[in-house]
Amino acid sequence: MKRNVYVSAAASVVLMVAGPVAAATAAPGDTARTAPTAVAPLVDVTAEAALAAALENYPGVVESLDREANVWHVDVITKDGKGHAELEVDAASGAVTRRNVDTDQDTNEHKDLLAAKVTAEQAAKAAVAAHPGQVWTVEWDSDDDGRAASWHVEVRGTDGKTWDASVDAATGKVTEQADSDNDSGNDSGNNG
């Protein structure tokens, strides 16, 4: 009898602390009763909300945003180009943690990013307008290969497929990128 009380008490604590989750209580003998399973609706911080939270914590210009599991990784450059911060935004709570801050950056290294007419936030919105879904990655790309600077945006559609876009940093024009070595169904983070 004490065993049933302890199991029931433990199940109650799990339900109170962790929210509505599946909990099982053991009954005497071989029979077991289980509580109905329910999935707690988690607050999922969107890319747009993660960008806003990061910029509130460390004002500047976003260089990149990438989601890995339950964390958004955001790199921000100060508007004078001298500072750089690596931030993490919790995808459930929106809490921002500074992982690395450097205030001695070469200002020439980020001059293209700072001069871009289209921000990371605008590039994310443009990509979702072209292909509905959830933004998963936004990365600045100013390669020296003769191409214009652009944003690489990864959008995950409701069908689970990944769509890669290139957003022109001057015009905001969205074009689909050719499929790279990235598997469109891959849920692991990119090393980018």
Side-chain angles (χ1 to χ4, degrees):
M1 189 63 127
K2 282 185 178 180
R3 179 175 170 235
N4 287 342
V5 171
Y6 291 130
V7 170
S8 295
S12 297
V13 169
V14 166
L15 289 172
M16 288 185 335
V17 174
V21 296
T25 57
D30 291 334
T31 62
R33 290 179 280 148
T34 58
T37 59
V39 178
L42 295 176
V43 174
D44 191 28
V45 175
T46 64
E48 294 79 8
L51 289 167
L55 290 173
E56 183 177 326
N57 183 281
Y58 192 85
V61 177
V62 172
E63 180 180 34
S64 68
L65 165 114
D66 183 39
R67 178 141 178 192
E68 185 177 320
N70 205 28
V71 175
W72 289 102
H73 298 277
V74 186
D75 284 356
V76 179
I77 306 299
T78 56
K79 290 187 179 187
D80 64 4
K82 294 180 182 178
H84 171 254
E86 294 174 12
L87 308 171
E88 289 183 355
V89 180
D90 186 286
S93 69
V96 179
T97 304
R98 291 184 182 186
R99 290 293 172 207
N100 187 21
V101 176
D102 181 10
T103 58
D104 191 24
Q105 292 282 298
D106 177 6
T107 56
N108 289 326
E109 184 178 339
H110 305 292
K111 68 180 181 178
D112 290 345
L113 170 64
L114 297 172
K117 293 181 180 177
V118 177
T119 65
E121 301 91 312
Q122 293 166 330
K125 286 179 184 176
V128 169
H131 188 84
Q134 183 178 19
V135 172
W136 214 254
T137 303
V138 179
E139 293 177 336
W140 176 249
D141 184 9
S142 64
D143 289 336
D144 296 328
D145 59 3
R147 292 184 306 173
S150 64
W151 292 99
H152 170 254
V153 183
E154 181 181 305
V155 177
R156 294 198 180 174
T158 55
D159 59 0
K161 293 183 180 179
T162 301
W163 186 73
D164 289 319
S166 180
V167 181
D168 188 282
T171 65
K173 180 181 177 188
V174 180
T175 55
E176 184 172 8
Q177 284 188 334
D179 194 16
S180 63
D181 58 0
N182 183 6
D183 179 13
S184 65
N186 187 357
D187 282 341
S188 65
N190 293 339
N191 293 333

